[in-house]
Every structure is written in C-alpha cells, then in structure tokens.
Amino acid sequence: MNKVTSTRIAWIDICRGIGILLVLYAHVLASDKNRFLIYAFHMPLFFFLSGIVFRNKDTGFISIVKKNVKIGRAH
C-alpha cells in the first residue's frame, strides 16, 4: 500500500478557520447588516481556497474538458 503524504499550507488553513468562525458568528450573533456582509463573501472564499489546492492528474484544461464532456450524436 502506498503511503500518501500531504503537505498543508498554513495560511489556507487559517483562512478557512476564519471563514468558518465568521459563518458561525453570522448564524448566531450578527445583526442583519453584518450578516449580509459575511454571507456576501464566505462561499466565494471557500471556493477560491478549494481552487488553490485543487490537483488533477490531467495536465491541461483541454484534457480535463475532453475527459468530462460527453458529446451526443444526432440520430
């Protein structure tokens, strides 16, 4: 069995932790104005951080598209 080693990036983990704490704050304690501000950026923050650490075996955008797009044939 191959052992996979992962290297974590500290600043990404810190940003994720801050984002989670802000979401908890927005759900529990925030006023409507603060809640709106937190809800405006927390999901894009998590998507951005996920995109930074995303790794794919394919080397380029075209190979990813070819692998994931199925083109139907007209009958």
Side-chain angles (χ1 to χ4, degrees):
M1 185 164 103
N2 293 339
K3 185 176 181 180
V4 177
T5 58
S6 67
T7 55
R8 304 207 40 115
I9 303 170
W11 69 269
I12 291 178
D13 288 339
I14 292 169
C15 287
R16 288 176 58 207
I18 292 170
I20 290 169
L21 290 174
L22 286 173
V23 170
L24 288 173
Y25 173 75
H27 279 284
V28 177
L29 300 171
S31 66
D32 287 337
K33 183 178 180 181
N34 292 337
R35 185 176 296 143
F36 176 76
L37 291 173
I38 293 170
Y39 287 167
F41 76 88
H42 82 277
M43 287 305 292
L45 172 70
F46 292 127
F47 277 105
F48 175 74
L49 294 173
S50 297
I52 289 175
V53 296
F54 175 74
R55 253 185 230 171
N56 197 339
K57 295 177 184 176
D58 298 325
T59 56
F61 177 74
I62 300 300
S63 61
I64 294 171
V65 171
K66 284 181 182 178
K67 179 180 173 186
N68 293 313
V69 174
K70 295 178 183 178
I71 299 174
R73 296 181 185 191
H75 295 291

